[in-house]
């Protein structure tokens, strides 16, 4: 069991990106199914703080990492610092190298048809030893969802990247993980768009300064309302954060 820090009720694992990837490979080697990983940022933790059901879903994950730099800063305020920011996309990139080395299988689920196909093609070029056994876009009704579940169960992938957006992907994984013939599921938001080359990550300069959120806001001004949760998160951690019990091993 890893060390954790309790950030407004969300129990965040104090892993590094490399440690998360290695843990996922352990899940795969154990040949057990239904493990899942979520990577909440400040906005998502605020959503969980307000929504008890979402908080329980997040805390049910095998691994819960700090996607946003705000979560890392919060852990420092709480005097239980996280080792590093573990963004979902960065974990996925690290993991893909390991999957490639061990010739494991992958299923891609989410985004639009052209994006998921583009992501599949690019991942295959970068990691030719990964067996991408299937894919499905993120637009589905009840009937199509059953077809996707049947397809995943038939293909039995080692890992499924679930990219349906927050909190839809977390709820979908929570509701379906134990009934899927997949060893590990990861909620990865817009990562397929990056893998497909449709969206660019913030320049390294922004990433190192911890202001990737600012780059996204500049590129997508409509995110402004959502971004208001960032100062709310900081204020809530400062005022109420210490009342949550901090967890060790």
């Amino acid at each position: 069991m890893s060390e954790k820090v309790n950030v407004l009720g969300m129990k965040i694992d104090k892993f590094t990106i490399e440690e998360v990837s290695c843990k996922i490979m352990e899940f795969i080697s154990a040949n057990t199914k239904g493990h899942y990983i979520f990577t909440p940022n400040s906005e998502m933790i605020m959503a969980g703080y307000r929504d008890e059901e979402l908080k329980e879903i997040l805390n049910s994950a095998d691994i819960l990492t700090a996607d946003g730099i705000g979560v890392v800063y919060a852990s420092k305020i709480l005097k239980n610092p996280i080792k590093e920011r573990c963004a979902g996309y960065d974990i996925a990139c690290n993991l893909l190298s390991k999957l490639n080395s061990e010739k494991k299988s992958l299923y891609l689920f989410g985004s639009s048809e052209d994006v998921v196909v583009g992501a599949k093609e690019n991942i295959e070029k970068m990691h030719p030893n990964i067996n991408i056994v299937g894919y499905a876009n993120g637009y589905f009704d009840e009937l199509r969802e059953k077809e996707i579940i049947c397809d995943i169960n038939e293909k039995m992938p080692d890992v499924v990247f679930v990219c349906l957006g927050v909190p839809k992907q977390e709820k979908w994984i929570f509701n379906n993980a134990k009934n899927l013939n997949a060893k590990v599921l990861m909620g990865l938001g817009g990562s397929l768009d990056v893998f497909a080359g449709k969206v660019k990550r913030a320049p390294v300069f922004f990433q190192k300064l911890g202001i990737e959120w600012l780059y996204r806001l500049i590129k997508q001004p409509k995110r402004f309302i959502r971004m208001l949760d960032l100062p709310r998160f900081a204020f809530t951690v400062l005022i109420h954060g210490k009342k949550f019990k901090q967890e060790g091993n």
Side-chain angles (χ1 to χ4, degrees):
M1 183 179 292
S2 77
E3 293 184 355
K4 298 177 184 285
V5 54
N6 190 322
V7 182
L8 301 183
M10 270 48 67
K11 299 168 185 177
I12 308 296
D13 289 285
K14 295 169 64 176
F15 283 135
T16 64
I17 292 168
E18 176 67 15
E19 287 169 344
V20 175
S21 298
C22 287
K23 189 66 179 177
I24 292 170
M25 296 305 294
E26 288 178 16
F27 292 151
I28 294 171
S29 297
N31 202 31
T32 52
K33 67 178 186 178
H35 299 282
Y36 53 95
I37 292 88
F38 297 145
T39 63
N41 59 15
S42 303
E43 295 172 62
M44 194 170 176
I45 288 179
M46 277 303 295
Y49 179 71
R50 292 186 289 248
D51 182 343
E52 188 69 23
E53 179 187 8
L54 179 57
K55 181 178 76 173
E56 291 180 4
I57 288 173
L58 293 176
N59 284 332
S60 72
D62 293 270
I63 299 175
L64 197 64
T65 73
D67 185 290
I69 194 66
V71 185
V72 176
Y73 289 154
S75 73
K76 293 178 180 179
I77 292 171
L78 297 169
K79 302 188 184 306
N80 191 5
I82 291 168
K83 296 175 184 177
E84 68 177 2
R85 177 192 175 202
C86 292
Y89 178 78
D90 293 329
I91 296 170
C93 289
N94 188 295
L95 178 65
L96 285 172
S97 295
K98 290 178 169 54
L99 296 176
N100 186 67
S101 296
E102 299 196 21
K103 299 182 180 181
K104 299 299 183 180
S105 60
L106 176 67
Y107 194 103
L108 305 177
F109 175 32
S111 199
S112 63
E113 185 73 12
D114 65 316
V115 166
V116 71
V117 170
K120 174 181 179 293
E121 293 174 349
N122 287 340
I123 291 172
E124 286 174 334
K125 289 175 184 175
M126 293 185 291
H127 305 285
N129 292 326
I130 293 177
N131 181 17
I132 300 183
V133 294
Y135 65 89
N137 68 54
Y139 297 89
F140 55 87
D141 55 17
E142 186 175 346
L143 176 61
R144 176 59 181 151
E145 181 180 21
K146 290 179 180 178
E147 292 173 350
I148 293 168
I149 290 172
C150 286
D151 192 42
I152 293 173
N153 284 338
E154 181 182 330
K155 303 294 177 51
M156 295 187 294
D158 291 307
V159 177
V160 183
F161 286 175
V162 183
C163 303
L164 302 175
V166 176
K168 184 177 180 179
Q169 65 195 14
E170 286 75 22
K171 292 181 178 180
W172 191 90
I173 291 171
F174 177 78
N175 290 327
N176 292 286
K178 300 305 179 185
N179 298 316
L180 290 171
N181 289 328
K183 294 174 185 174
V184 179
L185 298 99
M186 299 180 67
L188 290 175
S191 293
L192 289 182
D193 295 86
V194 183
F195 285 123
K198 301 290 186 181
V199 173
K200 291 184 178 180
R201 287 199 74 189
V204 174
F205 170 79
F206 284 85
Q207 294 180 44
K208 287 186 175 180
L209 288 179
I211 53 173
E212 196 168 356
W213 60 268
L214 178 59
Y215 179 82
R216 291 197 298 268
L217 182 59
I218 292 169
K219 290 290 184 179
Q220 298 175 289
K222 64 181 181 181
R223 294 174 62 95
F224 175 74
I225 299 300
R226 286 175 54 191
M227 290 293 181
L228 291 177
D229 256 348
L230 298 180
R232 291 190 191 109
F233 172 77
F235 178 79
T236 306
V237 169
L238 285 168
I239 301 301
H240 301 295
K242 291 183 180 179
K243 77 177 182 181
F244 292 92
K245 182 181 178 181
Q246 303 305 300
E247 295 191 354
N249 290 327

